[in-house]
Amino acid sequence: MRRLTTTALAVTAVALSLTACSSEPAAPAVSKTSTSPEPVATTSTPSPTPMDTTYTVGETAKVNDTTNGVVFTATVITYTQPAKGPQPPDPATQGGDVWATVEAKICNEAKTVTVSQFPWSLAYADGTVVKVTGSSGGDMPKPEFPMDVPIKAGRCVKGKIPFPVMSNARPERVMYAPESLSDNPVEWTIPKS
C-alpha cells in the first residue's frame, strides 16, 4: 500500500509540474482543412507563423480549443443576397429592406457543444456590422440554422442564417465569433457578386 501511495504521489507531482508551466490559457488553434499532405519541415526550429483566420466562402475552418476541450469545424457554404422568398416587413425596425442568408455548417468533433445563430454577423467595408435579428420560424429563409441546439461529437448541423441588409450595399465578410473565439473571430470573404 505504501509503495502504491508513493508512486501515486510521484505521478501527481509530475502532472502538476507539467500543467503549472503556464498561467495563461492557450488560445484556440484555427486552421484550414486540406486534403493535400502537409509539407515536411527541414529545420529543427520552425519560425512562428501568424494564425490564418480568413477564408473564402466554401472553405472549412477547424477550431481546436484545447483549454475547453472543444474541437469543431465551421464552413460558410454560400452567401445569398437577396434571399428568395418573403422579405423583411418593415426596414425601419429590421435594419434592412432585403434578407441576405449565410448557409453555414458546424461539425462537432469533441465534447457536446451548443450552436446558435447569434455568434454570426456580417461586416462591411465602412466598419458597419450587421447581427442576426433573433427571429425564427414563419417566413424566415429555410432551412434555418438552429438556435441553441446541442450537438454531440461526430454530428453536424447546417442551415441558413438570415440578416436584414440594405439592397444597395454588399458586406465584405462573414464573421463567426463563438465564445471560444470571441477574441479572434473566424472570417470568410464574401465574393463581390
Side-chain angles (χ1 to χ4, degrees):
M1 179 72 177
R2 181 179 177 110
R3 183 175 184 180
L4 182 59
T5 304
T6 304
T7 304
L9 287 173
V11 169
T12 303
V14 170
L16 286 174
S17 67
L18 290 174
T19 59
C21 291
S22 173
S23 61
E24 294 292 318
V30 178
S31 61
K32 288 184 182 180
T33 57
S34 173
T35 56
S36 60
E38 292 294 320
V40 177
T42 56
T43 61
S44 60
T45 55
S47 60
T49 56
M51 189 182 338
D52 183 12
T53 56
T54 302
Y55 303 88
T56 57
V57 170
E59 288 186 316
T60 297
K62 181 164 185 169
V63 178
N64 189 353
D65 181 356
T66 54
T67 303
N68 297 310
V70 176
V71 180
F72 63 91
T73 60
T75 307
V76 170
I77 300 166
T78 60
Y79 174 81
T80 305
Q81 179 182 337
K84 293 179 181 175
Q87 296 303 315
D90 183 7
T93 60
Q94 293 291 332
D97 59 353
V98 297
W99 288 118
T101 59
V102 170
E103 186 175 8
K105 182 176 184 179
I106 302 289
C107 291
N108 185 22
E109 296 181 13
K111 71 179 186 179
T112 300
V113 296
T114 299
V115 297
S116 173
Q117 294 180 12
F118 290 111
W120 297 89
S121 59
L122 300 176
Y124 289 79
D126 67 359
T128 302
V129 174
V130 175
K131 296 185 177 259
V132 298
T133 63
S135 301
S136 62
D139 291 336
M140 301 305 283
K142 305 285 189 249
E144 291 181 63
F145 191 84
M147 296 286 272
D148 300 319
V149 172
I151 305 172
K152 293 180 180 181
R155 300 211 176 138
C156 300
V157 297
K158 77 174 188 173
K160 295 178 181 177
I161 303 166
F163 296 90
V165 298
M166 296 308 293
S167 57
N168 64 351
R170 190 169 175 91
E172 282 189 331
R173 299 175 316 280
V174 175
M175 297 190 310
Y176 181 55
E179 187 175 314
S180 60
L181 297 173
S182 60
D183 292 336
N184 192 18
V186 181
E187 298 181 351
W188 288 262
T189 304
I190 296 173
K192 297 288 183 198
S193 57

